[in-house]
Amino acid sequence: MTVQVAVCGPADCTEEERLVAFRVGELLAARGAVVLCGGGSGVMAAVAAGARAGGGLAVGVLPGADRAGAAPDLSAALATNLGQARNAVLVQSADAVIVVGGSWGTLSELALAMRRGGVPVVTLNGWRVLDADGRAVPGPVEARTPEEAVALALG
């Protein structure tokens, strides 16, 4: 079965996050992975555009009851009518999760992926979760580049 990688990130992203997400999408497509994302703007739209530019597929898992607002480069858009609960569907459907940047929704996806367990979870210029003593909580692996993030996600 084809590998599916969720790429999570903010709808309101920086230009750097957009470029990083686009590159992640290209690299995943080159490796034959299907990109899963939240299907909206920002990092989600950029990773879908990168996957399409790389000849791959991108599937958006949308929060609403219809496909309104879906990123234009998606290969398919799934209207879940689940609101933010769609984050659980997104990470549960993935063989690996890459988190680009950070927002509250992105933190939710990171936490759900870690609670799920059993799949690589990679952060790229995003959230670092610290314990009460200021030490990084074990689990998510930090990557410095899109190339490293994809390599870590796909093993």
Side-chain angles (χ1 to χ4, degrees):
M1 186 172 292
T2 302
V3 172
Q4 300 182 153
V5 178
V7 180
C8 307
D12 184 18
C13 70
T14 67
E15 181 63 13
E16 179 184 353
E17 290 167 338
R18 188 189 70 72
L19 293 171
V20 164
F22 184 91
R23 182 67 178 142
V24 167
E26 282 183 317
L27 292 166
L28 288 169
R31 297 276 302 266
V34 172
V35 170
L36 306 178
C37 69
S41 61
V43 163
M44 299 169 278
V47 75
R52 179 167 291 229
L57 299 175
V59 177
V61 182
L62 302 167
D66 59 35
R67 294 182 289 181
D73 289 301
L74 292 170
S75 307
L78 308 176
T80 66
N81 201 29
L82 292 174
Q84 292 303 307
R86 64 91 190 266
N87 293 353
V89 174
L90 177 62
V91 300
Q92 190 63 38
S93 300
D95 299 304
V97 177
I98 299 174
V99 177
V100 176
S103 66
W104 290 116
T106 307
L107 181 59
S108 163
E109 291 159 328
L110 173 65
L112 288 166
M114 291 309 304
R115 292 287 296 172
R116 173 188 171 190
V119 298
V121 179
V122 180
T123 64
L124 184 55
N125 302 328
W127 285 103
R128 277 190 76 222
V129 181
L130 306 176
D131 68 15
D133 295 320
R135 291 184 300 258
V137 174
V141 178
E142 291 183 52
R144 291 186 200 94
T145 66
E147 291 76 10
E148 183 181 14
V150 169
L152 289 165
L154 297 179

